[in-house]
Amino acid sequence: MNILSALRTKPSAESQKVSKQSAPKQTKGIEIKSQRELDYMRESSRIVATVLKEISELIAPGMTTMDLDAHAEKRIREMGAVPSFKGYCGFPASICSSINNEVVHGIPNSRKVIKLGDLVKVDTGAFKNGFHGDSCITVAVGNVSEKAAKLMRVAEEALYKGIEQVKPGNCMLDLAGAIEDHVKANGFAIVEDFTGHGVGRNLHEEPSVFNFRTHQLPNVRFRPGMTLAIEPILNAGSKRVRILADKWTAVTVDNQLSAQFEHTVLVTETGYEIFTDRNKV
Ligand code: MG
Ligand code: MG
């Protein structure tokens, strides 16, 4: 079992309080959100986008990952939401902060100082009115190597290649294939140990949103009202990761760089809407 599947099985107490308002409309275990629920998700996602935009602007050498976490928690609460991650399966913070060879789920730390040339992944979620938003960015701190810049660019492009496949009638494998093809054409590896997910009432819900072609997971057909967190993770070297002794932080096995971008996305009648779009906040 990977960390993501562990996370999916144990929603936090704080998230559960408001999450059982009414029986959701479902198709094969995948919740189809109502217009009102989608408005709630837009609001939670807007909060997430605002926080990530602010962090991308304030991040600087000499700050610690705990400084970023403190800013995120303060702003999420100021906007009337609760940090989705804090307390989730015991995760101690409001953001995951993963630097350079750290892949995902890095724990903010007051001794972890950000340096010039770092690639910093910041992932956060906000919970308000019973619904979550979830998004991740990779930020280059000052000038980074050409390879790091390319990895970051291709990771974001891969996310958008996947998002472009989101429309009624298309399937998860269309999305997965578009991501896989773009990443491979650029010579990078896709981490297979973590997938994206449905998002809404729960931070992690059905379906799995995978980033590579596989028949191990259901090839769900997109329907209007589905809400997905799409989040490809790219490694510069091997796709393989290992988990550190803190039981959270995943790092690349060969110490090479990793980059990730994530958006919360709605399947609309004609295509998609990106809920966590930082250009709209
Ligand atoms: Mg996330
Ligand atoms: Mg996610």
Side-chain angles (χ1 to χ4, degrees):
M1 182 195 283
N2 66 32
I3 287 185
L4 187 61
S5 26
L7 281 171
R8 284 182 185 169
T9 58
K10 296 187 221 162
S12 73
E14 207 168 6
S15 315
Q16 283 297 84
K17 262 191 262 168
V18 205
S19 69
K20 297 222 168 123
Q21 290 167 333
S22 58
K25 190 177 163 198
Q26 294 204 339
T27 172
K28 290 184 185 160
I30 302 165
E31 202 178 314
I32 302 297
K33 274 79 176 181
S34 69
Q35 285 309 317
R36 191 177 65 122
E37 291 168 341
L38 292 173
D39 282 341
Y40 288 150
M41 283 195 68
R42 284 187 183 93
E43 170 70 4
S44 301
S45 299
R46 188 189 60 76
I47 293 168
V48 170
T50 303
V51 169
L52 289 181
K53 187 175 188 182
E54 289 174 1
I55 284 180
S56 72
E57 288 163 357
L58 69 81
I59 197 166
M63 293 181 82
T64 70
T65 51
M66 191 62 101
D67 294 332
L68 302 182
D69 184 67
H71 179 83
E73 176 163 9
K74 175 172 165 280
R75 294 291 290 129
I76 288 170
R77 294 193 188 277
E78 277 175 2
M79 289 183 272
V82 167
S84 301
F85 296 3
K86 196 161 191 174
Y88 195 82
C89 295
F91 190 79
S94 301
I95 63 167
C96 295
S97 51
S98 312
I99 300 182
N100 297 334
N101 65 317
E102 295 171 345
V103 177
V104 287
H105 300 157
I107 301 173
N109 188 314
S110 56
R111 293 187 307 278
K112 192 127 198 172
V113 180
I114 294 162
K115 304 184 301 297
L116 266 179
D118 279 346
L119 272 196
V120 183
K121 280 81 71 180
V122 181
D123 193 342
T124 195
F127 180 72
K128 186 174 180 181
N129 295 314
F131 289 85
H132 296 272
D134 184 9
S135 182
C136 174
I137 55 172
T138 300
V139 186
V141 182
N143 287 330
V144 296
S145 69
E146 214 170 285
K147 191 174 185 183
K150 183 181 175 191
L151 180 70
M152 212 175 106
R153 172 176 60 78
V154 174
E156 190 162 28
E157 287 169 359
L159 168 61
Y160 282 93
K161 294 279 180 192
I163 290 173
E164 284 163 16
Q165 295 299 316
V166 174
K167 56 183 168 190
N170 267 11
C171 295
M172 203 61 82
L173 273 172
D174 296 312
L175 178 157
I179 292 174
E180 180 178 346
D181 289 346
H182 188 67
V183 175
K184 288 197 169 158
N186 283 282
F188 296 125
I190 299 164
V191 174
E192 296 180 359
D193 292 15
F194 304 98
T195 67
H197 49 91
V199 56
R201 225 170 276 276
N202 301 293
L203 181 59
H204 298 115
E205 54 189 43
E206 291 302 321
S208 292
V209 180
F210 36 95
N211 304 307
F212 54 96
R213 293 182 182 86
T214 176
H215 294 285
Q216 306 295 314
L217 293 163
N219 184 20
V220 169
R221 193 171 290 277
F222 299 129
R223 284 189 47 189
M226 287 180 179
T227 42
L228 310 168
I230 306 171
E231 49 179 318
I233 309 170
L234 276 58
N235 285 355
S238 167
K239 68 181 179 185
R240 289 178 48 233
V241 306
R242 66 185 175 88
I243 309 296
L244 298 186
D246 65 15
K247 295 192 165 60
W248 284 101
T249 313
V251 298
T252 54
V253 290
D254 54 10
N255 244 4
Q256 292 210 46
L257 295 172
S258 187
Q260 180 184 30
F261 285 86
E262 174 184 25
H263 273 313
T264 293
V265 174
L266 164 71
V267 186
T268 66
E269 296 291 336
T270 54
Y272 61 85
E273 177 183 338
I274 301 174
F275 279 180
T276 44
D277 190 346
R278 294 179 301 286
N279 298 315
K280 292 186 189 157
V281 298

